[in-house]
Amino acid sequence: PGGPPSAPSNSSAGYASPSENNSRKPSPCLASPSSMPPFSSLGWTPMHHFIHFTRDVCVRMLSDQPLNDALPAIAGGRDVPPAHPVMEHFRPAIGTILNTIVDVFNRLLVESGAKVWVSLRDRRADGKFHTFDRAGFYNPNRAGTSQPLEENWATIQLLKERFSSGDCVIMTGIGKKGWHQLQNDGIYEENKSVLMGAVIAKEVKGDLITNGPLCWVLCVNSATPDIFTASHKRILQGCNDSLSAILNVMLRSTQLKKRK
């Protein structure tokens, strides 16, 4: 399993076709932009806490299953290691999740006219974070020159540093503090505003839930400078926790199958 890590899936990358849009209708619970109250009045912090707590309950339910952080090795003749096989199996579902995140942020930014695109990077056996999939408004040609993020680069180090102090999302972008310039930044300039989130594996030790390794990096990107606020961070924190629940089930999937 595992195709080229930079190649977007047919289901979620680039500018979505009408058929794709029809197959991915927004959730009925999402209000239309005209009916939403002012963004500043929405209580996103309690929602983040709710999702965070829900994720922790999921992890506790799996507490008897050991965390398996082993990643598929690089296959013979391949330069790039594959993604986790369970992640590959659920690529269409993950693509739908990324498109939903795009929909949420585009609705919130409707008055500014800014558009976003979302990427999910996963840590592979080479220790680098490769792009697994993208969704939203971006140039699909960027896949051909995409580079993985390395753990010792400033952006990942800043993300891990902020996470260790209790903040799982950073606001960054081209030219901002801690940003590691990549080839695509100069070509497409679609990362002028970036919310970057850390998706972490979790373990249960007694009554405590402890942090495992950084496994996925979730980014909401925009070509519009300085478009995100602290309130947008709260929303991505909730998205992080939701994906963390999926990640922690995935990392225990082998043990769960054996138990059946």
Side-chain angles (χ1 to χ4, degrees):
S6 299
S9 73
N10 293 331
S11 59
S12 64
Y15 299 93
S17 67
S19 61
E20 289 170 334
N21 285 331
N22 290 337
S23 64
R24 287 181 175 171
K25 294 180 180 178
S27 169
C29 67
L30 293 176
S32 64
S34 60
S35 65
M36 291 181 71
F39 182 49
S40 60
S41 70
L42 299 176
W44 292 108
T45 299
M47 179 58 70
H48 167 226
H49 291 165
F50 164 74
I51 299 172
H52 185 96
F53 182 77
T54 302
R55 187 278 316 277
D56 285 356
V57 170
C58 293
V59 172
R60 290 188 184 280
M61 287 180 174
L62 297 169
S63 61
D64 62 332
Q65 302 301 311
L67 182 69
N68 178 18
D69 191 38
L71 294 167
I74 300 177
R78 293 187 59 176
D79 296 328
V80 178
H84 193 288
V86 175
M87 197 175 184
E88 279 291 354
H89 181 76
F90 285 94
R91 180 181 284 272
I94 293 173
T96 298
I97 291 171
L98 298 186
N99 270 280
T100 302
I101 296 172
V102 169
D103 182 60
V104 168
F105 276 87
N106 280 341
R107 287 170 183 266
L108 295 173
L109 296 170
V110 65
E111 291 185 5
S112 70
K115 297 293 185 181
V116 306
W117 62 281
V118 173
S119 64
L120 180 64
R121 291 177 177 267
D122 62 304
R123 184 170 57 86
R124 308 277 175 95
D126 59 2
K128 300 176 183 180
F129 295 87
H130 296 260
T131 300
F132 178 77
D133 208 351
R134 303 175 182 86
F137 294 82
Y138 66 94
N139 190 321
N141 292 326
R142 68 181 300 118
T145 49
S146 179
Q147 299 169 262
L149 297 179
E150 299 190 21
E151 192 143 9
N152 62 346
W153 286 357
T155 312
I156 296 296
Q157 289 300 309
L158 178 62
L159 182 63
K160 294 173 71 174
E161 176 187 320
R162 293 284 180 83
F163 182 84
S164 65
S165 63
D167 190 355
C168 66
V169 173
I170 61 174
M171 285 194 292
T172 182
I174 297 174
K176 300 293 178 63
K177 176 185 176 181
W179 183 258
H180 186 96
Q181 189 82 4
L182 297 176
Q183 181 179 350
N184 277 352
D185 297 337
I187 299 174
Y188 303 109
E189 297 188 333
E190 296 175 324
N191 302 88
K192 292 181 179 179
S193 295
V194 178
L195 289 174
M196 179 176 288
V199 185
I200 305 287
K202 297 286 184 175
E203 294 185 82
V204 179
K205 295 183 178 179
D207 294 332
L208 299 176
I209 294 180
T210 61
N211 295 324
L214 172 65
C215 295
W216 295 348
V217 176
L218 177 65
C219 292
V220 178
N221 315 272
S222 178
T224 303
D226 303 316
I227 195 64
F228 298 126
T229 67
S231 296
H232 294 112
K233 281 183 62 176
R234 291 294 185 189
I235 299 173
L236 195 65
Q237 286 169 344
C239 297
N240 274 359
D241 286 339
S242 297
L243 284 174
S244 179
I246 295 173
L247 169 69
N248 280 279
V249 171
M250 183 189 81
L251 294 178
R252 293 165 173 85
S253 59
T254 303
Q255 287 78 13
L256 290 171
K257 289 179 181 177
K258 288 180 179 179
R259 185 168 66 176
K260 291 180 179 178

